[in-house]
Amino acid sequence: MNKEQILEIRKEFPYLDEDKMGRKIVYFDNGATSQKPKCVIDALSNYYSYENANPHRGAHYLGMLATEKYESARETVKSFINAKQPEEIVFVRNTTEALNLIAYSYALEYLNEGDEILISIYEHHSNLVTWQYVAQKTGAILKYVYLDDNHELDMEAFKSSLSEKTKLVSLAGASNTVGAVIDVKEITRLAHEVGAVVSIDAAQLSPHVRVDVQDWDVDFISFSGHKMYAPMGIGVMYGKYELLDKMVPYMYGGDMIEYVYEQNTTFAKPAAKFEAGTQNVGGAIALAAAIDFMERVGVENIHEHELALTDYAYKKMSELEFVEIYSTPSYNRSPLVSFNIKGVHSHDVSTVLDTYDIAIRTGHHCAMPLHGYLKQNSTCRVSFAIYNTFEEIDFFIDKLKEVRKVMGYGS
Ligand SMILES: Cc1ncc(COP(=O)(O)O)c(C=O)c1O
């Protein structure tokens, strides 16, 4: 996309409006959460202004309208990830809840002592602590695949870790720290060969690349709306219908039942079986608006622009001898660069950059085992979205040099 097109897209984001905000903000913390375009904010506001009712319940106009809008949002998500049927789309709060749902409703039920769960060292805690719990409860063994020289998943190690004992492979489609992306289709093919179920944490994938669950043949996918231009509090757990159908509910209560007797209950079919209680209807509608936004811009255009930005940032940062980079050098990666400035704590880097209105992320990025593996207590991370520009990266590079000076290192 050319500069003018990106500048047009920026206008859709109130947060990036310099006049309204009174300053020029360089927002490089998109891996944590993206900013929201006006069409998404309007969709949420419109729902609460004119469409608000509890879906699947009231036999009145607004109740039916809310039901229609909520189910239409499910259809939008279904098409977005190319699921076979809308019943495979379960609305949850976020990726974390989606992974917990898989853990409680599938893994705790179907995994046994000695079974193996295979994850990588770069998993976010939500795709790691969850499986520690499952392993502790079931007696299953949690196995890790480590990194190759490019800080990507070591594919040879992955292949040799697979065996008929592997019952679940749960990997981030894209790492939030080293930026590595995996070949989901190939990983799934290999895992299926040994009979394992595949769950992909797509939190850092769905905002950037086209997700195609049928082409990839994955069993589960989890992602959060807030990282892909939608509000917080809405996310998706996709599961193949055959799996969802045999899984037990995660939560119990209203709207997930078929018949309730005094001592027992029969449950609704998926996805309702997993959506107990009043749902985040406004969030689902706004997620559909975010998807419409992404489709209008073009998911492939988003991907291409973000890859170009990341490549540019990576190269510029590599030229600075005081910067140590931990993210992969591969062109095809998650749009982020993780790094440290030699001799400077990451929080100091962030604090100094903040004085120039540059927002970056620092810390362990909810990936403590990875940081242990990298022998770093914490790292800095810049992460990009469709509205970021090459000029912002130039400004950031300039100010990175300032950080050195502020911290007393000279030029
Ligand atoms: C790879 C990955 N997985 C899972 C999560 C958790 O997402 P959420 O906090 O929206 O549940 C994140 C959040 O940063 C992430 O980057």
Side-chain angles (χ1 to χ4, degrees):
M1 297 191 94
N2 63 36
K3 193 174 163 180
E4 285 65 39
Q5 287 170 310
I6 299 298
L7 292 181
E8 279 307 304
I9 290 169
R10 281 177 76 85
K11 287 185 191 154
E12 298 192 40
F13 288 79
Y15 188 86
L16 302 173
D17 183 332
E18 284 175 52
D19 293 336
K20 281 236 174 67
M21 297 298 282
R23 57 203 174 125
K24 187 174 162 42
I25 298 165
V26 176
Y27 186 75
F28 281 173
D29 196 15
N30 296 286
T33 197
S34 71
Q35 295 305 328
K36 322 301 174 199
K38 194 157 179 313
C39 55
V40 167
I41 299 166
D42 286 348
L44 192 61
S45 160
N46 190 60
Y47 169 73
Y48 281 112
S49 302
Y50 310 113
E51 295 165 344
N52 174 54
N54 210 324
H56 306 148
R57 291 163 175 83
H60 53 76
Y61 171 73
L62 274 184
M64 287 185 281
L65 185 63
T67 305
E68 194 186 301
K69 294 274 174 175
Y70 184 58
E71 293 308 326
S72 148
R74 201 188 302 281
E75 278 285 347
T76 302
V77 176
K78 180 215 122 188
S79 304
F80 183 62
I81 63 169
N82 193 29
K84 256 193 208 148
Q85 52 192 102
E87 293 78 9
E88 296 178 319
I89 308 299
V90 180
F91 284 120
V92 290
R93 279 186 303 146
N94 47 35
T95 308
T96 305
E97 187 173 86
L99 288 161
N100 274 272
L101 198 166
I102 300 164
Y104 279 86
S105 299
Y106 177 78
L108 282 181
E109 281 298 305
Y110 290 102
L111 264 57
N112 297 305
E113 195 172 346
D115 287 346
E116 292 180 359
I117 304 169
L118 192 55
I119 65 173
S120 86
I121 193 65
Y122 60 60
E123 299 309 322
H124 185 282
H125 296 161
S126 61
N127 194 33
L128 190 155
V129 182
T130 322
W131 306 122
Q132 287 177 345
Y133 178 72
V134 169
Q136 283 154 15
K137 280 281 173 193
T138 59
I141 296 155
L142 184 58
K143 281 179 70 172
Y144 286 83
V145 181
Y146 295 88
L147 308 182
D148 65 15
D149 293 343
N150 272 349
H151 282 185
E152 297 186 346
L153 188 80
D154 184 336
M155 272 308 280
E156 288 315 307
F158 173 75
K159 285 180 200 163
S160 59
S161 302
L162 287 172
S163 74
E164 74 287 350
K165 284 192 192 154
T166 317
K167 295 295 179 232
L168 181 71
V169 171
S170 192
L171 292 172
S175 152
N176 72 337
T177 306
V178 285
V181 292
I182 55 170
D183 182 343
V184 178
K185 192 171 176 175
E186 178 63 1
I187 293 268
T188 305
R189 189 187 68 75
L190 291 165
H192 282 172
E193 267 180 11
V194 297
V197 160
V198 178
S199 151
I200 297 296
D201 168 355
Q204 299 292 344
L205 213 54
S206 61
H208 312 296
V209 303
R210 179 140 324 263
V211 171
D212 188 331
V213 294
Q214 288 194 69
D215 182 45
W216 296 348
D217 197 27
V218 285
D219 301 298
F220 296 111
I221 277 219
S222 308
F223 57 94
S224 303
H226 71 92
K227 293 182 195 290
M228 46 181 285
Y229 311 106
M232 293 186 179
I234 189 73
V236 171
M237 194 281 288
Y238 157 86
K240 279 185 183 157
Y241 191 84
E242 316 80 81
L243 279 170
L244 295 184
D245 201 33
K246 71 174 196 176
M247 280 157 58
V248 295
Y250 173 44
M251 286 197 276
Y252 297 83
D255 219 25
M256 48 78 71
I257 54 90
E258 183 188 36
Y259 290 107
V260 181
Y261 307 96
E262 280 199 23
Q263 297 299 329
N264 65 297
T265 293
T266 57
F267 301 113
K269 287 285 180 195
K273 181 164 80 169
F274 303 104
E275 293 184 356
T278 300
Q279 295 297 299
N280 184 358
V281 180
I285 290 169
L287 172 61
I291 289 173
D292 288 346
F293 164 79
M294 288 181 69
E295 295 289 13
R296 171 161 56 82
V297 175
V299 176
E300 288 71 19
N301 291 333
I302 294 174
H303 189 205
E304 196 183 303
H305 176 64
E306 292 172 343
L307 284 182
L309 285 176
T310 312
D311 187 52
Y312 185 70
Y314 189 95
K315 284 186 178 140
K316 287 270 171 192
M317 291 167 77
S318 306
E319 286 164 13
L320 304 174
E321 94 295 337
F322 56 83
V323 169
E324 204 160 73
I325 298 182
Y326 309 103
S327 49
T328 176
S330 299
Y331 188 82
N332 185 26
R333 60 190 146 199
S334 199
L336 60 90
V337 183
S338 53
F339 66 99
N340 270 325
I341 291 190
K342 289 176 192 162
V344 183
H345 194 280
S346 63
H347 290 310
D348 290 333
V349 177
S350 170
T351 305
V352 176
L353 291 175
D354 192 46
T355 64
Y356 300 107
D357 288 326
I358 301 172
I360 69 160
R361 172 80 194 270
T362 54
H364 52 62
H365 317 302
C366 298
M368 281 173 98
L370 172 68
H371 279 73
Y373 180 80
L374 295 173
K375 299 191 172 52
Q376 301 297 319
N377 282 329
S378 75
T379 54
C380 306
R381 182 186 72 190
V382 287
S383 51
F384 309 115
I386 183 64
Y387 40 68
N388 289 126
T389 64
F390 294 94
E391 289 72 22
E392 286 180 316
I393 292 173
D394 286 337
F395 181 69
F396 159 72
I397 295 289
D398 208 42
K399 296 309 169 198
L400 260 192
K401 296 174 188 162
E402 292 289 319
V403 173
R404 287 276 294 178
K405 283 191 207 150
V406 172
M407 298 310 293
Y409 281 95
S411 57

